[in-house]
Amino acid sequence: MTRRATLRTTHGDPGIVAGALEPDNTASMRTRVEGDELITTIERDSTGGLHATVDDYVVNVTVAETVIEATRTHTDTNHE
């Protein structure tokens, strides 16, 4: 039996976040952008595997957002 989780996160530019996450995505993950949302569906064969993948994904989203924001802040500061 396959376990599935769908995660929806809202971002100022979800396409940039999706691009940042893409290298870490596995074959069990499908990501799409709808408006300001990044929607990722993860399917795994076990509950433990699903939990681990969701946990990794949430950490990766957090890191991507932090890096993107830091880059924007740094870029904005250098252009003032």
Side-chain angles (χ1 to χ4, degrees):
M1 174 187 236
T2 301
R3 277 75 172 165
R4 179 179 305 140
T6 300
L7 298 103
R8 292 176 174 265
T9 53
T10 304
H11 306 276
D13 192 338
I16 291 175
V17 178
L21 296 174
E22 166 132 36
D24 291 322
N25 286 353
T26 67
S28 66
M29 303 168 80
R30 300 287 178 261
T31 299
R32 68 186 189 278
V33 174
E34 289 184 9
D36 63 351
E37 286 189 324
L38 184 62
I39 303 165
T40 300
T41 301
I42 302 167
E43 293 184 350
R44 296 293 304 268
D45 292 333
S46 70
T47 302
L50 179 63
H51 181 266
T53 304
V54 167
D55 186 54
D56 288 347
Y57 178 81
V58 170
V59 169
N60 289 345
V61 168
T62 302
V63 169
E65 274 288 339
T66 301
V67 170
I68 291 165
E69 186 58 34
T71 301
R72 283 186 181 137
T73 300
H74 179 72
T75 302
D76 291 345
T77 302
N78 285 334
H79 286 102
E80 291 181 354

